[in-house]
Short mmCIF file of all heavy atoms in Angstrom, two decimals:
data_model
loop_
_atom_site.label_atom_id
_atom_site.label_comp_id
_atom_site.label_asym_id
_atom_site.label_seq_id
_atom_site.Cartn_x
_atom_site.Cartn_y
_atom_site.Cartn_z
N MET J 28 0.85 -1.25 0.01
CA MET J 28 -0.04 0.04 0.01
C MET J 28 0.83 1.26 0.02
O MET J 28 1.82 1.27 0.72
CB MET J 28 -0.90 0.00 1.27
CG MET J 28 -1.79 1.15 1.31
SD MET J 28 -2.86 0.97 2.82
CE MET J 28 -4.36 1.75 2.19
N ASN J 29 0.57 2.24 -0.84
CA ASN J 29 1.42 3.41 -0.91
C ASN J 29 0.99 4.40 0.13
O ASN J 29 -0.20 4.65 0.39
CB ASN J 29 1.12 4.08 -2.31
CG ASN J 29 1.78 3.27 -3.33
OD1 ASN J 29 2.74 2.62 -3.16
ND2 ASN J 29 1.25 3.39 -4.51
N LYS J 30 1.90 5.00 0.81
CA LYS J 30 1.72 6.04 1.82
C LYS J 30 1.51 7.25 1.17
O LYS J 30 2.20 7.75 0.30
CB LYS J 30 2.95 6.04 2.73
CG LYS J 30 2.93 7.03 3.83
CD LYS J 30 4.06 6.96 4.60
CE LYS J 30 5.25 7.94 4.14
NZ LYS J 30 6.24 8.17 4.97
N THR J 31 0.47 8.11 1.57
CA THR J 31 0.22 9.37 1.09
C THR J 31 0.76 10.35 2.07
O THR J 31 0.52 10.32 3.37
CB THR J 31 -1.31 9.57 0.88
OG1 THR J 31 -1.83 8.61 -0.01
CG2 THR J 31 -1.62 10.94 0.34
N ILE J 32 1.36 11.31 1.55
CA ILE J 32 1.96 12.52 2.35
C ILE J 32 1.09 13.76 2.03
O ILE J 32 0.76 14.04 0.93
CB ILE J 32 3.38 12.87 1.94
CG1 ILE J 32 4.31 11.61 2.30
CG2 ILE J 32 3.84 14.08 2.74
CD1 ILE J 32 5.34 11.55 1.30
N THR J 33 0.40 14.24 3.03
CA THR J 33 -0.46 15.44 2.96
C THR J 33 0.24 16.63 3.62
O THR J 33 0.82 16.65 4.66
CB THR J 33 -1.73 15.11 3.66
OG1 THR J 33 -2.25 13.91 3.08
CG2 THR J 33 -2.73 16.24 3.37
N ASP J 34 0.04 17.74 2.93
CA ASP J 34 0.62 19.05 3.34
C ASP J 34 -0.49 20.14 3.03
O ASP J 34 -1.19 20.01 2.15
CB ASP J 34 1.88 19.37 2.64
CG ASP J 34 2.63 20.60 3.23
OD1 ASP J 34 2.48 20.83 4.35
OD2 ASP J 34 3.32 21.38 2.38
N ILE J 35 -0.53 21.17 3.82
CA ILE J 35 -1.35 22.29 3.60
C ILE J 35 -0.55 23.52 3.36
O ILE J 35 0.44 23.77 4.02
CB ILE J 35 -2.31 22.63 4.80
CG1 ILE J 35 -3.12 21.49 5.34
CG2 ILE J 35 -3.18 23.89 4.55
CD1 ILE J 35 -4.13 20.97 4.26
N TYR J 36 -0.78 24.17 2.18
CA TYR J 36 0.03 25.27 1.78
C TYR J 36 -0.92 26.54 1.34
O TYR J 36 -1.65 26.28 0.38
CB TYR J 36 0.96 24.92 0.64
CG TYR J 36 1.91 26.07 0.21
CD1 TYR J 36 2.97 26.59 1.06
CD2 TYR J 36 1.72 26.65 -1.03
CE1 TYR J 36 3.74 27.61 0.59
CE2 TYR J 36 2.56 27.68 -1.46
CZ TYR J 36 3.55 28.10 -0.67
OH TYR J 36 4.46 29.18 -1.05
N LYS J 37 -0.90 27.58 2.03
CA LYS J 37 -1.83 28.71 1.76
C LYS J 37 -3.29 28.27 1.57
O LYS J 37 -4.00 28.81 0.70
CB LYS J 37 -1.24 29.43 0.45
CG LYS J 37 0.16 30.08 0.79
CD LYS J 37 0.51 30.97 -0.34
CE LYS J 37 1.98 31.65 0.03
NZ LYS J 37 2.33 32.59 -0.90
N GLY J 38 -3.69 27.37 2.39
CA GLY J 38 -5.00 27.07 2.36
C GLY J 38 -5.47 25.89 1.39
O GLY J 38 -6.53 25.44 1.32
N TRP J 39 -4.47 25.60 0.57
CA TRP J 39 -4.59 24.43 -0.45
C TRP J 39 -4.03 23.11 0.22
O TRP J 39 -3.18 23.11 0.92
CB TRP J 39 -3.82 24.77 -1.57
CG TRP J 39 -4.22 25.85 -2.48
CD1 TRP J 39 -4.40 27.20 -2.19
CD2 TRP J 39 -4.62 25.81 -3.81
NE1 TRP J 39 -4.87 27.92 -3.15
CE2 TRP J 39 -5.06 27.16 -4.20
CE3 TRP J 39 -4.71 24.80 -4.79
CZ2 TRP J 39 -5.53 27.42 -5.51
CZ3 TRP J 39 -5.28 25.13 -6.07
CH2 TRP J 39 -5.58 26.44 -6.47
N THR J 40 -4.65 22.06 -0.20
CA THR J 40 -4.14 20.72 0.29
C THR J 40 -3.39 20.00 -0.81
O THR J 40 -3.76 19.98 -2.04
CB THR J 40 -5.37 19.81 0.61
OG1 THR J 40 -6.12 20.44 1.57
CG2 THR J 40 -4.92 18.41 1.11
N ILE J 41 -2.13 19.60 -0.39
CA ILE J 41 -1.30 18.83 -1.31
C ILE J 41 -1.30 17.34 -0.83
O ILE J 41 -1.02 17.13 0.38
CB ILE J 41 0.18 19.45 -1.26
CG1 ILE J 41 0.16 20.85 -1.60
CG2 ILE J 41 1.12 18.52 -2.11
CD1 ILE J 41 1.48 21.49 -1.35
N SER J 42 -1.48 16.41 -1.81
CA SER J 42 -1.36 15.04 -1.48
C SER J 42 -0.39 14.43 -2.40
O SER J 42 -0.61 14.38 -3.64
CB SER J 42 -2.77 14.35 -1.52
OG SER J 42 -3.68 14.86 -0.77
N VAL J 43 0.69 13.80 -1.91
CA VAL J 43 1.68 13.22 -2.70
C VAL J 43 1.74 11.75 -2.42
O VAL J 43 1.63 11.27 -1.29
CB VAL J 43 3.15 13.79 -2.29
CG1 VAL J 43 4.30 13.07 -2.96
CG2 VAL J 43 3.24 15.30 -2.49
N ILE J 44 1.83 10.91 -3.48
CA ILE J 44 1.99 9.40 -3.30
C ILE J 44 2.98 8.93 -4.20
O ILE J 44 3.23 9.49 -5.40
CB ILE J 44 0.46 8.90 -3.71
CG1 ILE J 44 0.42 7.46 -3.24
CG2 ILE J 44 0.08 9.15 -5.10
CD1 ILE J 44 -1.05 6.78 -3.25
N ALA J 45 3.62 7.78 -3.89
CA ALA J 45 4.58 7.14 -4.68
C ALA J 45 3.82 6.54 -6.01
O ALA J 45 2.81 5.82 -5.82
CB ALA J 45 5.30 6.01 -4.00
N ALA J 46 4.30 6.88 -7.07
CA ALA J 46 3.75 6.42 -8.36
C ALA J 46 4.78 6.57 -9.53
O ALA J 46 5.07 7.72 -9.99
CB ALA J 46 2.55 7.18 -8.70
N ASP J 47 5.40 5.46 -9.91
CA ASP J 47 6.36 5.45 -11.04
C ASP J 47 5.65 5.83 -12.31
O ASP J 47 4.78 5.07 -12.76
CB ASP J 47 7.18 4.13 -11.06
CG ASP J 47 8.16 3.99 -9.95
OD1 ASP J 47 8.56 5.00 -9.40
OD2 ASP J 47 8.37 2.80 -9.57
N GLU J 48 6.20 6.89 -12.98
CA GLU J 48 5.69 7.27 -14.20
C GLU J 48 6.83 7.88 -15.04
O GLU J 48 7.32 8.99 -14.66
CB GLU J 48 4.56 8.36 -14.10
CG GLU J 48 3.91 8.78 -15.33
CD GLU J 48 3.02 7.80 -16.03
OE1 GLU J 48 2.33 7.11 -15.29
OE2 GLU J 48 3.06 7.64 -17.18
N GLN J 49 7.31 7.18 -15.96
CA GLN J 49 8.51 7.54 -16.81
C GLN J 49 9.76 7.78 -15.80
O GLN J 49 10.11 6.97 -15.03
CB GLN J 49 8.21 8.70 -17.67
CG GLN J 49 7.15 8.26 -18.68
CD GLN J 49 6.80 9.40 -19.66
OE1 GLN J 49 7.39 10.50 -19.64
NE2 GLN J 49 5.84 9.11 -20.55
N CYS J 50 10.13 9.04 -15.79
CA CYS J 50 11.34 9.33 -14.92
C CYS J 50 10.92 9.92 -13.54
O CYS J 50 11.83 10.25 -12.68
CB CYS J 50 12.21 10.36 -15.62
SG CYS J 50 11.50 12.01 -15.91
N SER J 51 9.62 9.92 -13.21
CA SER J 51 9.13 10.37 -11.90
C SER J 51 8.76 9.26 -11.02
O SER J 51 8.25 8.27 -11.45
CB SER J 51 8.03 11.26 -12.19
OG SER J 51 7.36 11.76 -10.97
N HIS J 52 8.96 9.39 -9.71
CA HIS J 52 8.58 8.46 -8.74
C HIS J 52 7.42 8.85 -7.86
O HIS J 52 6.95 7.96 -7.02
CB HIS J 52 9.90 8.04 -7.91
CG HIS J 52 10.97 7.63 -8.66
ND1 HIS J 52 10.93 6.29 -9.31
CD2 HIS J 52 12.15 8.07 -8.89
CE1 HIS J 52 12.09 6.12 -9.97
NE2 HIS J 52 12.92 7.22 -9.79
N PHE J 53 7.05 10.11 -7.94
CA PHE J 53 5.83 10.57 -7.18
C PHE J 53 4.94 11.35 -7.96
O PHE J 53 5.29 12.17 -8.97
CB PHE J 53 6.44 11.41 -5.99
CG PHE J 53 7.21 10.58 -5.04
CD1 PHE J 53 8.54 10.40 -5.20
CD2 PHE J 53 6.55 10.04 -3.96
CE1 PHE J 53 9.27 9.67 -4.34
CE2 PHE J 53 7.18 9.30 -3.02
CZ PHE J 53 8.67 9.08 -3.24
N SER J 54 3.65 11.29 -7.70
CA SER J 54 2.57 12.03 -8.35
C SER J 54 1.97 12.90 -7.21
O SER J 54 2.21 12.60 -5.99
CB SER J 54 1.50 11.31 -8.97
OG SER J 54 0.81 10.47 -8.07
N PHE J 55 1.14 13.91 -7.52
CA PHE J 55 0.50 14.75 -6.46
C PHE J 55 -0.86 15.23 -6.97
O PHE J 55 -1.04 15.42 -8.19
CB PHE J 55 1.40 15.84 -5.98
CG PHE J 55 1.81 16.90 -6.93
CD1 PHE J 55 0.97 18.04 -7.16
CD2 PHE J 55 3.01 16.94 -7.58
CE1 PHE J 55 1.22 19.08 -8.02
CE2 PHE J 55 3.37 17.94 -8.42
CZ PHE J 55 2.41 18.97 -8.71
N ASP J 56 -1.64 15.55 -6.03
CA ASP J 56 -2.90 16.27 -6.29
C ASP J 56 -2.79 17.56 -5.47
O ASP J 56 -2.33 17.59 -4.28
CB ASP J 56 -4.10 15.46 -5.70
CG ASP J 56 -4.37 14.20 -6.49
OD1 ASP J 56 -4.07 14.19 -7.73
OD2 ASP J 56 -4.83 13.36 -5.92
N ILE J 57 -3.36 18.70 -5.98
CA ILE J 57 -3.55 19.82 -5.26
C ILE J 57 -5.05 20.22 -5.24
O ILE J 57 -5.66 19.99 -6.23
CB ILE J 57 -2.79 21.09 -5.79
CG1 ILE J 57 -3.06 21.40 -7.14
CG2 ILE J 57 -1.17 20.89 -5.66
CD1 ILE J 57 -2.47 22.77 -7.66
N THR J 58 -5.45 20.52 -4.11
CA THR J 58 -6.92 20.85 -3.99
C THR J 58 -7.11 22.19 -3.43
O THR J 58 -6.58 22.57 -2.32
CB THR J 58 -7.67 19.83 -2.93
OG1 THR J 58 -7.41 18.54 -3.54
CG2 THR J 58 -9.12 20.12 -2.87
N SER J 59 -7.88 23.10 -4.11
CA SER J 59 -8.03 24.52 -3.73
C SER J 59 -8.94 24.56 -2.57
O SER J 59 -9.62 23.48 -2.16
CB SER J 59 -8.65 25.31 -4.86
OG SER J 59 -10.01 24.85 -5.14
N PRO J 60 -8.94 25.64 -1.81
CA PRO J 60 -9.87 25.87 -0.69
C PRO J 60 -11.47 25.68 -1.12
O PRO J 60 -12.10 25.17 -0.26
CB PRO J 60 -9.58 27.23 -0.19
CG PRO J 60 -8.24 27.59 -0.68
CD PRO J 60 -8.14 26.85 -1.99
N SER J 61 -11.71 25.91 -2.38
CA SER J 61 -13.10 25.74 -2.75
C SER J 61 -13.34 24.25 -3.11
O SER J 61 -14.48 23.91 -3.53
CB SER J 61 -13.42 26.64 -4.08
OG SER J 61 -12.63 26.30 -5.15
N GLY J 62 -12.37 23.40 -3.25
CA GLY J 62 -12.62 21.96 -3.43
C GLY J 62 -12.18 21.50 -4.84
O GLY J 62 -12.34 20.30 -5.13
N HIS J 63 -11.67 22.36 -5.68
CA HIS J 63 -11.28 21.94 -7.06
C HIS J 63 -9.89 21.19 -7.00
O HIS J 63 -8.95 21.77 -6.41
CB HIS J 63 -11.15 23.21 -8.01
CG HIS J 63 -10.63 22.83 -9.27
ND1 HIS J 63 -11.51 22.19 -10.21
CD2 HIS J 63 -9.50 23.00 -9.90
CE1 HIS J 63 -10.84 22.02 -11.37
NE2 HIS J 63 -9.53 22.55 -11.18
N THR J 64 -9.85 19.96 -7.59
CA THR J 64 -8.62 19.16 -7.48
C THR J 64 -7.94 19.12 -8.86
O THR J 64 -8.63 18.88 -9.84
CB THR J 64 -8.90 17.76 -6.90
OG1 THR J 64 -9.40 17.87 -5.58
CG2 THR J 64 -7.60 16.88 -6.90
N GLN J 65 -6.57 19.14 -8.89
CA GLN J 65 -5.91 18.93 -10.08
C GLN J 65 -4.84 17.90 -9.78
O GLN J 65 -4.18 17.81 -8.68
CB GLN J 65 -5.10 20.17 -10.46
CG GLN J 65 -5.94 21.34 -10.86
CD GLN J 65 -5.17 22.57 -11.22
OE1 GLN J 65 -4.33 22.55 -12.11
NE2 GLN J 65 -5.40 23.73 -10.50
N HIS J 66 -4.58 16.98 -10.69
CA HIS J 66 -3.70 15.77 -10.54
C HIS J 66 -2.48 15.96 -11.49
O HIS J 66 -2.66 16.28 -12.63
CB HIS J 66 -4.35 14.49 -10.86
CG HIS J 66 -3.53 13.33 -10.74
ND1 HIS J 66 -3.12 12.76 -9.54
CD2 HIS J 66 -3.00 12.42 -11.69
CE1 HIS J 66 -2.23 11.78 -9.80
NE2 HIS J 66 -2.27 11.59 -11.14
N VAL J 67 -1.30 15.69 -10.90
CA VAL J 67 -0.14 15.74 -11.72
C VAL J 67 0.58 14.39 -11.60
O VAL J 67 1.02 14.04 -10.54
CB VAL J 67 0.83 16.85 -11.21
CG1 VAL J 67 2.16 16.84 -12.10
CG2 VAL J 67 0.17 18.26 -11.39
N LYS J 68 0.59 13.63 -12.78
CA LYS J 68 1.16 12.33 -12.81
C LYS J 68 2.66 12.26 -12.49
O LYS J 68 3.18 11.36 -11.85
CB LYS J 68 0.85 11.69 -14.13
CG LYS J 68 -0.63 11.20 -14.25
CD LYS J 68 -0.83 10.66 -15.66
CE LYS J 68 -0.10 9.51 -15.98
NZ LYS J 68 -0.51 8.89 -17.29
N MET J 69 3.38 13.17 -13.07
CA MET J 69 4.79 13.29 -12.95
C MET J 69 5.32 14.32 -12.10
O MET J 69 5.65 15.39 -12.47
CB MET J 69 5.55 13.29 -14.33
CG MET J 69 5.36 12.09 -15.22
SD MET J 69 5.89 12.13 -16.85
CE MET J 69 7.16 13.22 -17.09
N GLY J 70 5.08 14.17 -10.73
CA GLY J 70 5.38 15.14 -9.69
C GLY J 70 6.74 15.41 -9.27
O GLY J 70 7.08 16.42 -8.91
N GLY J 71 7.59 14.30 -9.35
CA GLY J 71 8.95 14.49 -9.01
C GLY J 71 9.61 13.18 -8.76
O GLY J 71 9.06 12.21 -8.57
N ILE J 72 11.04 13.28 -8.63
CA ILE J 72 11.77 12.05 -8.34
C ILE J 72 11.77 11.81 -6.84
O ILE J 72 11.82 10.63 -6.50
CB ILE J 72 13.26 12.29 -8.86
CG1 ILE J 72 13.32 12.30 -10.37
CG2 ILE J 72 14.14 11.21 -8.39
CD1 ILE J 72 14.64 12.73 -10.94
N THR J 73 11.65 12.80 -6.04
CA THR J 73 11.58 12.62 -4.64
C THR J 73 10.37 13.15 -3.99
O THR J 73 9.69 13.99 -4.62
CB THR J 73 12.72 13.21 -3.85
OG1 THR J 73 12.76 14.63 -4.00
CG2 THR J 73 14.14 12.78 -4.38
N GLU J 74 9.95 12.80 -2.80
CA GLU J 74 8.76 13.40 -2.14
C GLU J 74 8.96 14.78 -2.03
O GLU J 74 7.98 15.59 -2.25
CB GLU J 74 8.58 12.73 -0.79
CG GLU J 74 8.18 11.21 -0.72
CD GLU J 74 8.27 10.66 0.64
OE1 GLU J 74 8.56 11.37 1.63
OE2 GLU J 74 7.95 9.40 0.74
N GLN J 75 10.18 15.24 -1.57
CA GLN J 75 10.35 16.71 -1.36
C GLN J 75 10.21 17.50 -2.62
O GLN J 75 9.58 18.56 -2.63
CB GLN J 75 11.81 16.90 -0.79
CG GLN J 75 12.22 18.42 -0.63
CD GLN J 75 11.47 18.99 0.42
OE1 GLN J 75 10.96 18.37 1.42
NE2 GLN J 75 11.31 20.30 0.47
N ARG J 76 10.71 16.98 -3.76
CA ARG J 76 10.62 17.67 -5.05
C ARG J 76 9.16 17.74 -5.49
O ARG J 76 8.74 18.77 -6.02
CB ARG J 76 11.43 17.00 -6.06
CG ARG J 76 11.41 17.72 -7.48
CD ARG J 76 11.85 19.23 -7.28
NE ARG J 76 11.59 20.06 -8.53
CZ ARG J 76 11.06 21.11 -8.60
NH1 ARG J 76 10.68 21.73 -7.49
NH2 ARG J 76 10.70 21.76 -9.70
N ALA J 77 8.30 16.69 -5.27
CA ALA J 77 6.92 16.75 -5.53
C ALA J 77 6.24 17.80 -4.74
O ALA J 77 5.35 18.53 -5.29
CB ALA J 77 6.27 15.36 -5.39
N VAL J 78 6.45 17.88 -3.49
CA VAL J 78 5.88 19.02 -2.66
C VAL J 78 6.24 20.35 -3.11
O VAL J 78 5.45 21.19 -3.24
CB VAL J 78 6.17 18.68 -1.10
CG1 VAL J 78 5.78 19.96 -0.25
CG2 VAL J 78 5.59 17.48 -0.56
N GLU J 79 7.58 20.43 -3.44
CA GLU J 79 8.00 21.69 -3.95
C GLU J 79 7.28 22.15 -5.25
O GLU J 79 6.88 23.26 -5.46
CB GLU J 79 9.49 21.72 -4.19
CG GLU J 79 10.44 21.71 -3.04
CD GLU J 79 11.80 21.48 -3.33
OE1 GLU J 79 12.21 21.24 -4.51
OE2 GLU J 79 12.66 21.36 -2.35
N ARG J 80 7.18 21.17 -6.18
CA ARG J 80 6.54 21.51 -7.47
C ARG J 80 4.98 21.78 -7.28
O ARG J 80 4.49 22.60 -7.88
CB ARG J 80 6.60 20.16 -8.37
CG ARG J 80 6.12 20.50 -9.70
CD ARG J 80 6.58 19.53 -10.70
NE ARG J 80 7.88 19.68 -11.12
CZ ARG J 80 8.81 18.72 -11.41
NH1 ARG J 80 8.46 17.46 -11.23
NH2 ARG J 80 10.04 19.05 -11.76
N ALA J 81 4.38 21.07 -6.24
CA ALA J 81 3.03 21.34 -5.96
C ALA J 81 2.84 22.83 -5.44
O ALA J 81 1.94 23.58 -5.76
CB ALA J 81 2.47 20.39 -4.93
N ARG J 82 3.74 23.22 -4.52
CA ARG J 82 3.70 24.63 -4.06
C ARG J 82 3.87 25.61 -5.14
O ARG J 82 3.29 26.69 -5.11
CB ARG J 82 4.76 24.71 -2.96
CG ARG J 82 4.43 24.01 -1.56
CD ARG J 82 5.40 24.25 -0.58
NE ARG J 82 5.05 23.54 0.65
CZ ARG J 82 5.61 23.77 1.79
NH1 ARG J 82 6.70 24.42 1.90
NH2 ARG J 82 5.08 23.07 2.85
N GLU J 83 4.78 25.34 -6.11
CA GLU J 83 5.01 26.21 -7.23
C GLU J 83 3.76 26.29 -8.04
O GLU J 83 3.41 27.42 -8.52
CB GLU J 83 6.25 25.66 -8.03
CG GLU J 83 7.63 25.75 -7.53
CD GLU J 83 8.54 24.96 -8.23
OE1 GLU J 83 8.28 24.18 -9.29
OE2 GLU J 83 9.74 24.87 -7.82
N MET J 84 3.03 25.15 -8.18
CA MET J 84 1.77 25.29 -8.90
C MET J 84 0.71 26.10 -8.29
O MET J 84 0.03 26.75 -8.88
CB MET J 84 1.40 23.78 -9.16
CG MET J 84 0.33 23.66 -10.36
SD MET J 84 0.25 21.89 -10.60
CE MET J 84 -1.32 21.94 -11.44
N ILE J 85 0.65 25.92 -6.93
CA ILE J 85 -0.25 26.69 -6.16
C ILE J 85 0.02 28.06 -6.23
O ILE J 85 -0.93 28.95 -6.50
CB ILE J 85 -0.32 26.21 -4.65
CG1 ILE J 85 -0.97 24.83 -4.58
CG2 ILE J 85 -1.04 27.21 -3.81
CD1 ILE J 85 -0.68 24.08 -3.17
N GLU J 86 1.29 28.50 -6.17
CA GLU J 86 1.75 29.88 -6.36
C GLU J 86 1.15 30.43 -7.66
O GLU J 86 0.71 31.53 -7.72
CB GLU J 86 3.19 30.12 -6.25
CG GLU J 86 3.66 29.93 -4.84
CD GLU J 86 3.38 31.07 -3.90
OE1 GLU J 86 2.95 32.07 -4.24
OE2 GLU J 86 3.46 30.78 -2.67
N MET J 87 1.32 29.63 -8.72
CA MET J 87 0.90 30.06 -10.06
C MET J 87 -0.52 30.22 -10.14
O MET J 87 -1.12 31.15 -10.66
CB MET J 87 1.38 29.05 -11.13
CG MET J 87 1.12 29.41 -12.51
SD MET J 87 1.70 28.26 -13.84
CE MET J 87 0.82 26.81 -13.38
N GLU J 88 -1.40 29.34 -9.47
CA GLU J 88 -2.81 29.35 -9.47
C GLU J 88 -3.22 30.62 -8.77
O GLU J 88 -4.16 31.30 -9.15
CB GLU J 88 -3.33 28.09 -8.78
CG GLU J 88 -3.22 26.87 -9.77
CD GLU J 88 -3.98 26.93 -10.93
OE1 GLU J 88 -5.15 27.50 -11.00
OE2 GLU J 88 -3.61 26.24 -11.95
N ILE J 89 -2.62 30.88 -7.74
CA ILE J 89 -3.02 32.07 -6.84
C ILE J 89 -2.73 33.42 -7.65
O ILE J 89 -3.56 34.30 -7.81
CB ILE J 89 -2.20 32.03 -5.52
CG1 ILE J 89 -2.79 30.86 -4.62
CG2 ILE J 89 -2.39 33.46 -4.83
CD1 ILE J 89 -1.97 30.80 -3.32
N ALA J 90 -1.58 33.37 -8.30
CA ALA J 90 -1.32 34.59 -9.18
C ALA J 90 -2.22 34.78 -10.32
O ALA J 90 -2.63 35.93 -10.64
CB ALA J 90 0.13 34.43 -9.83
N LEU J 91 -2.79 33.64 -10.81
CA LEU J 91 -3.69 33.79 -11.96
C LEU J 91 -5.05 34.24 -11.46
O LEU J 91 -5.85 34.96 -12.24
CB LEU J 91 -3.86 32.44 -12.66
CG LEU J 91 -2.69 31.88 -13.56
CD1 LEU J 91 -2.89 30.45 -14.06
CD2 LEU J 91 -2.47 32.80 -14.75
N GLU J 92 -5.35 33.80 -10.24
CA GLU J 92 -6.68 34.32 -9.72
C GLU J 92 -6.60 35.79 -9.33
O GLU J 92 -7.65 36.40 -9.46
CB GLU J 92 -6.95 33.53 -8.33
CG GLU J 92 -7.31 32.10 -8.44
CD GLU J 92 -7.40 31.37 -7.14
OE1 GLU J 92 -7.22 32.03 -6.08
OE2 GLU J 92 -7.83 30.15 -7.20
N GLU J 93 -5.45 36.39 -9.03
CA GLU J 93 -5.23 37.79 -8.77
C GLU J 93 -5.32 38.72 -9.93
O GLU J 93 -5.49 39.78 -9.90
CB GLU J 93 -3.99 37.92 -7.98
CG GLU J 93 -4.00 37.34 -6.59
CD GLU J 93 -2.80 37.45 -5.75
OE1 GLU J 93 -1.76 37.94 -6.38
OE2 GLU J 93 -2.74 36.98 -4.66
N GLU J 94 -5.07 38.05 -11.23
CA GLU J 94 -5.14 38.86 -12.36
C GLU J 94 -6.47 39.36 -12.73
O GLU J 94 -7.48 38.82 -12.65
CB GLU J 94 -4.47 38.18 -13.52
CG GLU J 94 -3.06 37.99 -13.40
CD GLU J 94 -2.32 37.33 -14.53
OE1 GLU J 94 -3.01 36.85 -15.43
OE2 GLU J 94 -1.21 37.30 -14.59
#
């Protein structure tokens, strides 16, 4: 069974799970405070990189909302 790592960043929920996909070993979901979820199959080589990438994506989503 794969262990899911969950983190909260600026009100968004990040869920990282081990999932081998090409050169990536982790995938992630980000869920907005309103409940909209986005899935990224190739999240990163390490758990840490997947979390970093998820946070970068959240920053981009927040910036787009502010425009």
Side-chain angles (χ1 to χ4, degrees):
M28 180 180 215
N29 290 335
K30 179 178 92 170
T31 302
I32 297 144
T33 303
D34 187 31
I35 304 294
Y36 182 71
K37 296 189 176 185
W39 292 60
T40 302
I41 301 168
S42 299
V43 176
I44 190 164
D47 286 332
E48 183 69 39
Q49 295 181 5
C50 63
S51 179
H52 299 294
F53 293 88
S54 66
F55 66 83
D56 293 329
I57 59 170
T58 305
S59 70
S61 66
H63 177 73
T64 299
Q65 296 180 57
H66 177 72
V67 176
K68 287 173 62 172
M69 295 177 21
I72 292 177
T73 65
E74 294 173 2
Q75 178 66 28
R76 183 60 188 128
V78 170
E79 289 171 359
R80 186 166 283 144
R82 288 180 176 187
E83 291 167 1
M84 197 168 161
I85 289 167
E86 289 290 343
M87 185 176 64
E88 290 292 331
I89 291 170
L91 289 172
E92 288 175 359
E93 292 175 352
E94 289 184 352

